[in-house]
Amino acid sequence: SGELSIYPNPVSVGGVVTLNKKDTYVILNNLGVIVMKVTEANQIDISTLAPGIYVVRSSTGDLKRLVIQ
């Protein structure tokens, strides 16, 4: 339980982010479109994503802003 946290944030292009709990996550772009989904994971390889501001959403609805630079 507790608040969702993402490290590092901001993250460099081509990096990997680590979350503080294993879950199913979707990453949404600034238009609200799902650009990635991972299942039962606590790490996300964001190397396919362009620089920008994204939202990571957990299966329980926790939201966290993610900045890729």
Side-chain angles (χ1 to χ4, degrees):
S1 68
E3 192 186 351
L4 178 62
S5 69
I6 302 173
Y7 180 83
N9 189 9
V11 60
S12 300
V13 170
V16 174
V17 293
T18 301
L19 301 111
N20 61 332
K21 45 193 170 188
K22 218 171 220 188
D23 200 352
T24 296
Y25 295 99
V26 292
I27 299 182
L28 302 108
N29 66 14
N30 60 351
L31 302 174
V33 176
I34 294 175
V35 292
M36 186 177 292
K37 180 177 181 180
V38 296
T39 305
E40 279 305 297
N42 67 343
Q43 284 198 323
I44 304 175
D45 176 352
I46 55 96
S47 60
T48 58
L49 299 179
I53 297 171
Y54 296 84
V55 172
V56 179
R57 187 176 73 206
S58 72
S59 64
T60 54
D62 286 334
L63 300 175
K64 199 77 177 179
R65 202 171 87 129
L66 172 64
V67 177
I68 301 175
Q69 61 186 22

